[in-house]
Amino acid sequence: MSETTAPNSATLPHGWLRLDRAGWWGTFATTPWTGVLAVIAPLQLGNAITQILDISPWWGFLIAVGAFLPVFFVLYLVQRLRYPQPWVNFDTDELRSGRRVVPLADITWARLDLFDLKRSHTRMLTLRFGAAGGPRASVRLRGRKGQTPSAAVTAVVADIVRRSSIVVPQSPNDPTGRFARYNFPGSLNREDALEVVLNPPTMDDPAPVQLM
């Protein structure tokens, strides 16, 4: 779908509108490091306690099992604090995330978190975007069952991207941006961000970003 066939922005709602975002499963599935920490941190804690107290490794295993849920919950809260519930107002051209409000034109970065569930042949996608040092937001573009946002949500997110100033970050060692795909995995420019919003790629499509 091109911009000419995208939903008409004239039909967008007025006032503050709450955006959809990734649920708790998507929060961990599309950011693998979070899931890894949820497993490694309790194991490291159990191992450290067994060494300090000089007790059986089995006690360390039990401690790790008991610590899993608290660690999982803390990591989940950290993700929610990093990405509070986002709101957008097209009348004032503003994004609000938590208590912070910025013009949509101040949105300068976007990143696509991609996670392929090969067994179910499903690709999970979460678009994250925000202002430099300011509010950030995350929106689920494809869920673990392959579901995509409604046409209304797609129209809203697409118009946010259109009104933004999203660019791929630049490295001083790569002034031409030739290796930006590798230096900043997952980063998108405005045109590519708009494309993944309008057409969330499936498992059968080439990955739009460099996979970690």
Side-chain angles (χ1 to χ4, degrees), residues 19-31 76 79-80 83-86 113 124-129 137-144 147 149 153 157:
L19 295 182
D20 179 35
R21 64 177 181 179
W24 72 268
W25 166 255
T27 297
F28 284 88
T30 56
T31 51
Y76 174 78
Q79 284 289 82
R80 284 309 196 207
Y83 294 93
Q85 178 64 60
D113 290 340
M124 295 182 63
L125 299 167
T126 298
L127 181 69
R128 306 186 190 277
F129 55 88
S138 65
V139 179
R140 179 177 50 216
L141 298 182
R142 188 176 293 280
R144 62 189 179 93
Q147 68 273 27
V153 172
V157 179

Side-chain angles (χ1 to χ4, degrees), residues 5 8 19 32 35 38 67 73 105 113 128 139 145 151 155 157 173 176 179:
T5 58
N8 187 353
L19 295 182
F73 183 67
D113 290 340
R128 306 186 190 277
V139 179
K145 295 182 179 179
V157 179
N173 298 322
T176 64
F179 301 102

